[in-house]
Amino acid sequence: PPPALRPARADGAAMVLAPSARGLGDWNPFAPRAERIREGGCEVDFRMEIVHLTKRRVSGGVAIAAPAADVWRAVTSYERFPDFIPSIISHDVRRGEAGRAVIDQVSQLSRRLNMRSQMTLEAVESPDARSVTLRRVSGHGFLEFEGQYSLSPRPDGSTYLGYSVELVPCPIFPLPLVEQKIRKEVPKMLAAMSRYARRL
């Protein structure tokens, strides 16, 4: 029979959306994997989807006990990204016209295998939509990379910070390694941004 649904555990282990118990005919290997991960004192939503053979879509977010203005300052503090994302090795930000920046970034995918990605990203801010888009311009490591932060103010004064990214790694990078790295780094990044926004 197909695998049963595994419930979330109190220690923050993965809650995986698994095949239906009605039969193998209901099983979809491309079904999203949704989790609630505890990271750095925060409950982080995380979801990974298989778009096609090598393309992945990751989405999730975290509720932050801070107003949207402070969360916006955290998200657009591009120079501080190495504080939020431990895998960043080098990071250079060139701010252009209002609401735009170019980021040159080198990140460690695997220290053991000495695998790194190097990308130039364009950051485009949309204050009215409360969103920031990060899009790959050039580089190696990923053939496609487009991420977005989105802010949703809540009636109680807190803010939900959402994050999504669609990516295609270069063929030389083992896909399971990339998936493992993303699952590790995205919750850490969102939790770090939450801590920073709460201090502003």
Side-chain angles (χ1 to χ4, degrees):
L5 180 65
R6 292 186 292 170
R9 288 174 15 196
D11 61 2
M15 180 184 69
V16 181
L17 294 184
S20 165
R22 287 178 296 173
L24 288 173
D26 299 316
W27 181 53
N28 179 7
F30 293 92
R33 290 172 285 173
E35 306 176 61
R36 174 69 61 84
I37 301 171
R38 186 164 184 82
E39 177 65 51
C42 299
E43 295 288 337
V44 179
D45 298 320
F46 182 85
R47 180 184 179 100
M48 184 178 293
E49 302 173 65
I50 300 174
V51 180
H52 61 61
L53 187 62
T54 60
K55 188 170 186 175
R56 298 293 181 267
R57 180 185 297 119
V58 173
S59 59
V62 62
I64 303 176
D70 289 347
V71 178
W72 181 261
R73 287 170 59 193
V75 169
T76 55
S77 295
Y78 309 122
E79 292 81 1
R80 293 195 61 107
F81 274 20
D83 297 334
F84 305 144
I85 309 172
S87 62
I88 292 178
I89 298 172
S90 67
H91 187 79
D92 180 68
V93 178
R94 304 189 303 277
R95 291 187 180 263
E97 59 186 85
R100 290 181 178 267
V102 175
I103 304 170
D104 294 315
Q105 192 176 93
V106 177
S107 299
Q108 187 93 49
L109 283 177
S110 171
R111 193 179 306 276
R112 182 173 60 85
L113 300 177
N114 194 29
M115 300 178 69
R116 298 180 177 184
S117 67
Q118 180 176 356
M119 284 194 295
T120 296
L121 301 168
E122 180 186 32
V124 180
E125 301 170 12
S126 302
D128 292 342
R130 296 191 177 95
S131 68
V132 177
T133 300
L134 294 169
R135 185 178 297 111
R136 175 190 179 275
V137 177
S138 62
H140 64 83
F142 291 92
L143 302 177
E144 297 179 26
F145 185 99
E146 182 166 338
Q148 185 178 76
Y149 295 95
S150 58
L151 283 65
S152 301
R154 292 179 162 182
D156 62 0
S158 66
T159 306
Y160 188 84
L161 173 61
Y163 178 73
S164 63
V165 62
E166 290 194 0
L167 52 88
V168 177
C170 286
I172 62 171
F173 292 150
L175 193 54
L177 174 66
V178 175
E179 290 180 338
Q180 182 182 17
K181 191 70 173 179
I182 292 169
R183 186 186 179 280
K184 179 180 178 182
E185 296 292 340
V186 168
K188 285 183 180 294
M189 175 266 292
L190 290 172
M193 282 194 169
S194 174
R195 290 192 297 272
Y196 179 57
R198 295 199 305 268
R199 294 198 302 266
L200 294 176

